[in-house]
Amino acid sequence: MNFKHGISQYRINHARDYAKYILESVAKVELLFHLSQEGHIDEVKADNGIKSITKEIERSTKELLGYLELRDDMR
């Protein structure tokens, strides 16, 4: 593996995958928001779904940042 700048292509690929997942999750939050706003789903169910997705986004963000951390052992 080629390590430069304390990172590898493998880690960059994983970070990109997490970023895509986060984007998809935000789209789900937006969908729940609009469905609730228009009265298509119960407000409590939308709120619970948004909270759950938000927690998953937080976990995924930590994973993404972990893959992008520069590591001295890879220099």
Side-chain angles (χ1 to χ4, degrees), residues 24-65:
E24 292 167 1
S25 297
V26 171
K28 289 177 185 177
V29 168
E30 183 178 23
L31 177 63
L32 287 173
F33 170 79
H34 285 293
L35 289 173
S36 175
Q37 188 119 11
E38 295 170 6
H40 296 295
I41 61 172
D42 181 64
E43 190 174 316
V44 173
K45 288 182 182 180
D47 192 49
N48 288 339
I50 290 169
K51 285 179 183 177
S52 176
I53 295 168
T54 300
K55 287 179 186 175
E56 186 58 34
I57 290 170
E58 186 177 345
R59 284 190 290 270
S60 295
T61 301
K62 288 178 184 177
E63 290 290 329
L64 182 151
L65 292 173

Side-chain angles (χ1 to χ4, degrees), residues 6 11-13 15 17 20-21 23 32 35 38 42 59 61 63 67 70 73:
R11 290 172 46 155
I12 291 170
N13 291 345
D17 291 341
K20 288 177 185 177
Y21 179 75
L23 179 61
L32 287 173
L35 289 173
E38 295 170 6
D42 181 64
R59 284 190 290 270
T61 301
E63 290 290 329
Y67 278 105
L70 302 181
D73 63 334

